[in-house]
Amino acid sequence: MKIFSLHIVISILLFGFLNTVVAQTDSLKFSLLRQYDIWHFENTTGNNKFYERVKGFKFLGANASIGGSLRAQLEILDRPMFQNTTMDNSGGLARGLFHFDVKTLNNHQFFLELGSSHSIDKDNPIILDRDRLYVNQLFLKFNTGDFNWVIGRENLNYGSRRLFAIREGPNVRLSFDSFRVIYNKKNVSSELLALSVVPVELGVLDNDFYQFDNYILGTYNTIRLFSETTLMEVYYLRLQQQFSAYVDAQGKEIRHSIGTRWEIPFGEKLIFNNEIVYQFGNIADKSIRAWTLSLQAKYQLSNTLEYEINGEVISGDKDQNDDRLNTFNPLYPDVAYFGRVARFAPYNLLDIHNRIQFKKNKWMGELGHYAFWRYSVEDGIYGSGGFLQYSPVNDERFVAQQLAFTVKYRWNKFLSTDLETNLILPEDFLKKQDANKILSYLLLTTTFTF
């Protein structure tokens, strides 16, 4: 396949280039959101000199940097709806992100990031696979002592990414046109935000700014208690969406979310991450009352092994004949929250996730098991994006089990390759509607960051 050849070209050529021209450097640290990269290039010597002179430079008296990432993916998906099909759901994805970053000595920042995302040899690409050329981020940040003022287009991550995430799994990231005011003082960070969702378009620079058709208003607050490792987050978010569709209601949705999250360490090996959210509001002529509770514990078994158990209760609608909707809306979560295959979104679910992770040197491996049940038999199962995938046509709760395996190798600071495989085994709820085939998924990713 074309995309497999692209993997080979990127891996061989870039690996050779980076190991002969660019040595490892402690003056550069990449972040998932590139506006938070750490870079300071002074008195460069040796093999790093050429790269660092191009990477960092002076612009109108300020420190400036250019960079980006190239990502190529081979995706193989068999029986995507747990049924045999003649459609080829396999193919490739390619994405390039390129940015220009300017930071002044008093911490003002200008950041521009362009993206280009493409689907290769896929018979049925989804909307998040393609956008020929788009402004992924474009913002100004002003620092006035304890306050930062941000205006523009941004990728955003909040908390544990249960409600806000950048949508890194799909080929096109999630962007918001934003107004944000952030207060930072000692162990407290408090933020006021207004965010307008940027819809994905397929053309060239055709993503309009500040449409405010679907938007979020609210505040997000982080407090570090007792020590730097104990963290509490408290937030309020108001979602307005022009059209939402659930089993029990559809129409314009106004939903308020009040939540809190805690990270609490016990000793050096055990850490708890717990979150609870309550939602109210209305959709069409129905009121909203929904909630979710997430409990997570991580334990460091050794220097190389970590075990995690995660359980969630996510409310679904109790009665289709009443005037109330109980289906929880996760807003804009990490699409790959249950793995990159993303068959089930966090609506109307009970789930348990066990995971063991291995890390040593340049290797990372992960083995996970998920189990999914419906919270309410009166509600269905939803896919990523909040679309109803399976209607409540029977009274069974047990939806599926999922086995996931991931292995990742970081060749150096710039180049990485990872392989993820998933098997999803349908259980009673799916089997009773003739969705009884095992879904298999494989994703091979090569990423070059510069």
Side-chain angles (χ1 to χ4, degrees):
M1 299 178 69
K2 296 177 183 177
I3 194 67
F4 189 71
S5 301
L6 184 58
H7 266 94
I8 296 174
V9 171
I10 290 178
S11 300
I12 295 177
L13 295 183
L14 295 180
F15 179 69
F17 169 78
L18 293 169
N19 279 277
T20 56
V21 179
V22 181
Q24 294 293 321
T25 172
D26 293 329
S27 60
L28 177 63
K29 183 178 179 180
F30 296 130
S31 299
L32 180 61
L33 295 179
R34 301 299 301 277
Q35 57 265 43
Y36 301 114
D37 281 2
I38 297 174
W39 43 270
H40 49 89
F41 304 139
E42 297 177 0
N43 302 320
T44 57
T45 59
N47 289 336
N48 288 332
K49 190 172 183 179
F50 170 77
Y51 171 74
E52 293 186 351
R53 280 184 172 177
V54 174
K55 174 71 177 174
F57 51 91
K58 290 292 184 180
F59 179 77
L60 300 178
N63 294 319
S65 174
I66 58 173
S69 63
L70 300 174
R71 189 177 78 171
Q73 294 183 314
L74 169 65
E75 186 178 51
I76 300 174
L77 177 60
D78 194 18
R79 298 180 291 272
M81 300 303 291
F82 305 99
Q83 296 172 329
N84 290 325
T85 176
T86 58
M87 182 175 292
D88 185 5
N89 293 282
S90 303
L93 298 170
R95 185 183 75 187
L97 294 172
F98 310 94
H99 70 259
F100 174 56
D101 188 11
V102 180
K103 296 176 181 176
T104 68
L105 294 177
N106 49 3
N107 293 322
H108 302 323
Q109 183 179 19
F110 168 81
F111 190 84
L112 168 64
E113 184 174 54
L114 300 177
S116 183
S117 300
H118 303 273
S119 170
I120 304 171
D121 289 344
K122 292 186 72 174
D123 287 348
N124 189 32
I126 64 174
I127 191 170
L128 300 183
D129 285 342
R130 301 171 295 167
D131 195 337
R132 290 171 61 191
L133 182 64
Y134 54 96
V135 177
N136 185 54
Q137 299 194 83
L138 173 59
F139 65 84
L140 285 168
K141 183 180 76 173
F142 302 95
N143 177 267
T144 56
D146 295 334
F147 289 90
N148 284 314
W149 309 74
V150 185
I151 182 172
R153 179 166 294 179
E154 298 181 90
N155 297 149
L156 297 169
N157 273 330
Y158 286 91
S160 57
R161 304 180 190 176
R162 292 188 181 101
L163 296 176
F164 272 103
I166 64 171
R167 199 170 61 196
E168 177 63 1
N171 215 26
V172 182
R173 284 182 171 179
L174 175 64
S175 296
F176 293 95
D177 289 333
S178 68
F179 297 101
R180 297 193 298 140
V181 182
I182 307 134
Y183 171 80
N184 291 296
K185 190 70 173 182
K186 294 183 178 179
N187 294 328
V188 177
S189 175
S190 185
E191 180 173 337
L192 295 175
L193 55 90
L195 309 175
S196 171
V197 181
V198 179
V200 176
E201 305 290 348
L202 299 180
V204 174
L205 300 177
D206 54 356
N207 308 93
D208 293 335
F209 280 80
Y210 289 100
Q211 294 188 49
F212 274 93
D213 293 328
N214 302 313
Y215 65 86
I216 287 179
L217 305 174
T219 178
Y220 206 99
N221 308 278
T222 303
I223 306 169
R224 296 194 177 273
L225 303 169
F226 313 122
S227 70
E228 286 295 316
T229 56
T230 302
L231 179 126
M232 179 180 73
E233 295 179 337
V234 180
Y235 51 85
Y236 162 75
L237 303 168
R238 180 191 186 275
L239 169 73
Q240 178 164 312
Q241 197 152 285
Q242 292 301 315
F243 183 81
S244 299
Y246 304 90
V247 167
D248 192 26
Q250 63 181 24
K252 183 177 181 180
E253 178 178 5
I254 297 177
R255 186 180 294 245
H256 308 268
S257 301
I258 300 174
T260 182
R261 184 177 77 92
W262 291 78
E263 279 189 17
I264 307 173
F266 288 85
E268 296 182 354
K269 294 186 176 182
L270 179 64
I271 185 168
F272 287 97
N273 180 348
N274 306 322
E275 189 162 6
I276 185 168
V277 185
Y278 178 73
Q279 296 181 332
F280 60 95
N282 59 79
I283 175 171
D285 59 347
K286 294 199 174 190
S287 63
I288 295 172
R289 298 292 185 272
W291 59 277
T292 185
L293 172 65
S294 178
L295 304 174
Q296 180 193 75
K298 293 182 181 180
Y299 186 77
Q300 198 71 36
L301 298 170
S302 67
N303 291 334
T304 58
L305 287 177
E306 179 184 80
Y307 171 72
E308 174 189 322
I309 183 169
N310 194 341
E312 291 182 307
V313 184
I314 306 167
S315 70
D317 194 59
K318 296 178 181 179
D319 186 352
Q320 295 187 31
N321 297 315
D322 64 9
D323 61 354
R324 182 169 292 182
L325 176 70
N326 306 111
T327 308
F328 183 81
N329 184 337
L331 306 185
Y332 300 99
D334 186 352
V335 175
Y337 192 65
F338 299 123
R340 296 284 285 274
V341 64
R343 289 296 95 179
F344 311 123
Y347 301 73
N348 187 40
L349 281 181
L350 296 167
D351 65 84
I352 297 177
H353 174 204
N354 288 277
R355 176 185 69 88
I356 190 164
Q357 186 181 81
F358 168 83
K359 285 184 179 180
K360 188 172 184 180
N361 299 327
K362 297 181 178 182
W363 289 95
M364 188 281 285
E366 184 175 300
L367 182 64
H369 172 262
Y370 303 79
F372 303 96
W373 296 264
R374 284 192 295 163
Y375 173 83
S376 171
V377 296
E378 296 295 318
D379 207 343
I381 291 296
Y382 298 79
S384 58
F387 301 106
L388 182 68
Q389 291 273 47
Y390 298 97
S391 299
V393 294
N394 60 60
D395 292 333
E396 300 294 341
R397 290 187 183 271
F398 199 5
V399 177
Q401 298 186 69
Q402 180 174 335
L403 300 173
F405 174 70
T406 302
V407 60
K408 183 172 184 176
Y409 185 75
R410 182 169 292 279
W411 303 88
N412 49 42
K413 184 175 292 188
F414 305 89
L415 189 65
S416 65
T417 300
D418 62 281
L419 173 72
E420 179 179 338
T421 62
N422 285 269
L423 292 176
I424 303 183
L425 290 68
E427 297 294 349
D428 297 339
F429 172 70
L430 293 176
K431 288 179 178 179
K432 283 197 172 182
Q433 44 188 304
D434 199 31
N436 54 13
K437 304 298 182 183
I438 296 176
L439 180 153
S440 62
Y441 180 74
L442 181 144
L443 184 70
L444 176 65
T445 303
T446 297
T447 305
F448 169 49
T449 306
F450 57 96

